[in-house]
Amino acid sequence: FISAYNYKEEFWSTMDPSKKREVIEAIKTKYASTASAIIQYCTQGSGKDRAYQRLTELCDKFGSRFSGTKALEDAIDFMISDLSQRDSHLSVRGEDAIVSLWVRNQARAKLVSPREYVFDIMALGYSVGTPQGQEYLEAEAIVFESFDELEANKDKVFGKIVIFNQTFTTYEETSPYRTTGAARAGKYGAVATLIRSVTPKSLYTLHTGFQYYDATGPTIPTACITIEDAMLFGRMQARGEKIQIQMFMNCENLPDQKSRNVVADMKGQEKPEEIVLISGHIDCWDVNVGAEDDGGGIMIGAEALSVIKDLNLPQPRRTIRLCMFTAEETNLGGSDAFFDKYKSQADNFSIMMESDDGTYSPTGLAFKGSDDARDIMQAIANLLADVDANKVGDASELVVPDLENWENSKEVQICGIPMGSLLNDGGDTTYFDYHHSKADQVGNTQTADEMNRCTAVWATYAYILADIEPMLPRQHNPVPRAPKPLHLRCC
């Protein structure tokens, strides 16, 4: 346990107004030319399109980088080598983590009544298969549009396949149908669940993702279906037609595997023990190459380090650390390993930032921290007006799944580390059209130009925050919050 008394008192109090004015003025004057140089280099100079080229190479070489697989470990080896070769001054290493391994195998389904129709299903992460030794599971299906409907009709669920036909509102509101639908229906005796894909629109696309069972509840097969099929089954039920479905899945949960986070440090000159963290996750789901989730996020981080080096900017005061987390999509094993390794150094992090919400056209940075820190962040944001990324959003817009330990753990949350995440115009719209589907491919998602501007934003924030004289002033939160449940952490 880390005592709150370990943390530097000056981080807890309101920043001296004259000191804050001095820092903001320095950002306006000293760093304006730095930001302009970074933007020019990324959008018009030698760095133009380079982040996108690095993304395409990663995706083309290794394909899916799913937790526990050789492809992921090969991609990790590649990134360690690539970062080291591009900048010999970086300290690059793989840091061990334990990750889970689940194998999808085969899945198929057929509507038997009121008419015959073979339809697509995709097992949800860590689902069990249908009963072994049976050619398929067959049962009557019942359709619900909400959890409230399930609760109101729980006595009608036993022995049936429950279909959730929920409408997409926001990801936070809608994803619990995917993550908890099987657990909720299973406790009332459902034999399986089929979940409408968590996406706002569809071209008959399936969107997989993590789900979890209650520790003491039943485990039943669960899969996603397309929006089109979920609506079809809803219409059939509304007409009073009996829905009979056959389904087969033979997924497997296998023993945990060893993996690694990719960590690269650009060492600070005066205060190397103090750290500005930029991050994303290197793994992706097994059905795609993770171009948007989260290949773009890790590559703007890798490219940010290259841009700072190529521009021969003065070595920053404190260390810029890039972390490419492993296994974000599954058990967050990389996130947990990073937390365990560095939680004793929590007072040395000036800010932690993550990009895991797309790298479409940047609009700014979501931020959680003190009012004084926000004023400093806004001064940096103002330098990014040329790429239309001068917004500092609030904590409600923050997307930091790999950093939730730091935000919520009773061990370190009291120290109030500032948090940031990239804001972009695809985060609430385009992103979920492709999210966790086979369509998350290079060419479908973000463009080279969008990644150029995201890189400029990431590099500007990372460099200036690492080089300004003080660490960001902290917001002291004396009452630690309970950790978020796993289904609200995994993206």
Side-chain angles (χ1 to χ4, degrees), residues 19-40:
K19 180 65 174 177
K20 184 171 73 172
R21 285 195 298 270
E22 180 182 321
V23 173
I24 290 174
E25 187 60 29
I27 291 171
K28 291 179 181 178
T29 55
K30 178 180 178 181
Y31 296 105
S33 60
T34 301
S36 294
I38 290 172
I39 292 170
Q40 195 281 333

Side-chain angles (χ1 to χ4, degrees), residues 89-152:
H89 294 99
L90 290 179
S91 172
V92 186
R93 67 266 185 198
E95 295 183 348
D96 292 344
I98 300 298
V99 303
S100 54
L101 175 59
W102 172 80
V103 181
R104 179 180 305 280
N105 292 322
Q106 298 175 322
R108 57 182 180 269
K110 179 181 179 181
L111 177 68
V112 179
S113 175
R115 64 177 171 89
E116 288 196 356
Y117 165 52
V118 176
F119 63 96
D120 290 349
I121 64 172
M122 183 183 289
L124 294 176
Y126 296 86
S127 174
V128 297
T130 50
Q132 292 186 3
Q134 295 184 16
E135 184 179 356
Y136 48 77
L137 181 159
E138 181 172 343
E140 183 180 350
I142 185 169
V143 183
F144 299 121
E145 294 189 354
S146 69
F147 287 140
D148 288 341
E149 279 193 8
L150 168 67
E151 294 299 321

